[in-house]
Amino acid sequence: MSNWEAVIGLEVHCQLRTQSKIFTGAATAYGAEPNTQADPVTLGLPGVLPVLNREALQMAVKFGLAIGAKVAERSVFARKHYFYPDLPKGYQISQYELPIVAEGHLDIEIPGPKGEEPTLKRIGITRAHMEEDAGKSLHEAFPGVTGIDLNRAGTPLIEIVSEPDIRSAAEAVAYLKKLHQLVVYIGICDGNMQEGSFRCDANVSVRRKGEAKFGTRTETKNVNSFRYVEKAIEYEIERQIEVIEAGGKIVQETRLFNPDTGETRAMRSKEDANDYRYFPDPDLLPVVVTAADMEAIRATLPELPEAKRHRFVTQYALPKYDAAVLTGESALADYFEAVVETSGADAKTCANWITTDLLGALNKLGKDITASPISVEMLAGMLKRIVDKTISGKIAKDVFEAMLAGEGDADAIIKAKGLVQITDDGAIISAIDKVMAANPGQLADYRSGKDKLFGFFVGQVMKATQGKANPDALNRLLKEKLAP
């Protein structure tokens, strides 16, 4: 590989989060009984006409604005002809020469050597065009035959085509994750890769380092997980190098990835644009987006992930790592800000509890932040009790576990379990005196210079007070009492 360079471009099919299909009012709900959402327009029955879903158009424009692209004032739908059982009309309505979005970009982070800051790399986005999805062929459920479910046919998509700026499988995954985060953040896609809402075709070629001309590319179709994309690209790079070094030639073709073997295999020869016989769809007028339309849609854009991450670093004085984790999902960022606003605790303390304790617990439960059993109010309520010294940070761990188990909010748990922190100096001194009296040997050793025994005494007093002694008061009083 040292003498070779990969050239990678990605085509991402992003299913738009509309309630109805792109050219008809039929539903798009996932999981419906097969063929119950295949209406006359989707099937292309005689006498029916498509009508563009306005919400799908707005979502496409929203995406273009989010990636700093040119949004076309006038774009055109075309018919893309091919014959496959899951395409009932014999053509797909897509966009070809005049797409809705062109010339955008995403910046990805490339990890640097250990201890160094990552570097930014800009990946160009050639275009994003609107189109309808095809149906689904089902092979495994019907031995010897193929089942066709046309529920998905007509579902609105944007196909997002990158420039061939990607040079490794790792860069491809970084780009896909950034793109996935963005489309979910701005609310145009649910991002569910298992259901096919966000799937990728990987175009891969190789060339010797220093060469300007691209090699012959292959396209690996419909890969629906980040890990599989990485494995498919890595396999295809190695395969192409081996073929060329053995004196063979790469054939332009479409391939499929087998996740069980980690290999790609040839499916069919790769079509060129003229094979599809594109021409403007005569049933659909050109799409016109005015400047006023554009500004109205721009006003609906939320704060984008990069801007939010930068704000978290500056506004809350968070480390970059914490800010990146907390802004990974819009709902998680909202949760954090609500906890900071209502708890009275400092932002770093809130971040620690959320990124370590809460996310760790949710990961074990297999839930995301939107299904958290600990609400904003519950976590903020617990943090308030740390701030006002009702409980210590150690006791808070027990309160957190109890909240996670559904035992109520922090105040109810503290009261029920008698977890109120001991802050009275007299009570703490009494516990210290008893511990000192019970451990004369350790006391003598400490006073003779074995300072590490201080931790032993802290532990013994905490044990005697069932962990309820205020840590700050305990440390202060213990130092005074242990002094020779």
Side-chain angles (χ1 to χ4, degrees), residues 33 86 156 257 261 276 283 365 373 391 402 415 421 440-442 464 484:
E33 286 295 310
D86 59 16
F257 175 70
T261 63
Y276 292 119
D283 292 336
L365 293 171
I391 58 173
K415 183 178 180 181
Q421 186 172 229
Q442 286 88 345

Side-chain angles (χ1 to χ4, degrees), residues 431-464:
I432 291 172
D433 287 340
K434 289 177 183 177
V435 169
M436 289 170 64
N439 298 279
Q442 286 88 345
L443 178 60
D445 287 344
Y446 176 82
R447 287 177 170 169
S448 67
K450 293 186 178 178
D451 295 343
K452 290 183 180 179
L453 283 169
F454 186 81
F456 165 79
F457 285 102
V458 170
Q460 291 300 305
V461 176
M462 278 296 187
K463 185 177 179 182

Side-chain angles (χ1 to χ4, degrees), residues 252-380:
Q252 182 174 319
E253 62 188 359
T254 298
R255 301 179 69 86
L256 288 178
F257 175 70
N258 184 334
D260 296 326
T261 63
E263 299 175 346
T264 66
R265 61 177 176 81
M267 184 171 72
R268 61 175 183 263
S269 60
K270 173 65 180 166
E271 301 91 345
D272 288 315
N274 57 2
D275 295 322
Y276 292 119
R277 295 178 292 117
Y278 282 100
F279 66 79
D281 192 300
D283 292 336
L284 287 161
L285 292 170
V287 178
V288 176
V289 180
T290 67
D293 292 332
M294 210 118 44
E295 288 313 305
I297 295 169
R298 192 189 301 277
T300 68
L301 275 175
E303 183 179 28
L304 299 181
E306 282 186 17
K308 193 181 290 286
R309 182 174 62 173
H310 179 72
R311 179 170 65 81
F312 275 26
V313 171
T314 54
Q315 180 177 338
Y316 297 114
L318 292 178
K320 289 182 179 179
Y321 175 81
D322 288 6
V325 171
L326 290 168
T327 58
E329 299 174 51
S330 181
L332 180 60
D334 292 343
Y335 186 103
F336 164 75
E337 293 207 273
V339 169
V340 173
E341 186 177 337
T342 57
S343 68
D346 68 88
K348 179 58 177 166
T349 298
C350 296
N352 288 345
W353 277 98
I354 293 171
T355 59
T356 303
D357 298 87
L358 183 59
L359 291 186
L362 292 176
N363 186 50
K364 288 179 182 176
L365 293 171
K367 295 183 176 182
D368 63 21
I369 193 67
T370 61
S372 172
I374 298 178
S375 66
V376 166
E377 294 75 20
M378 291 169 73
L379 185 59

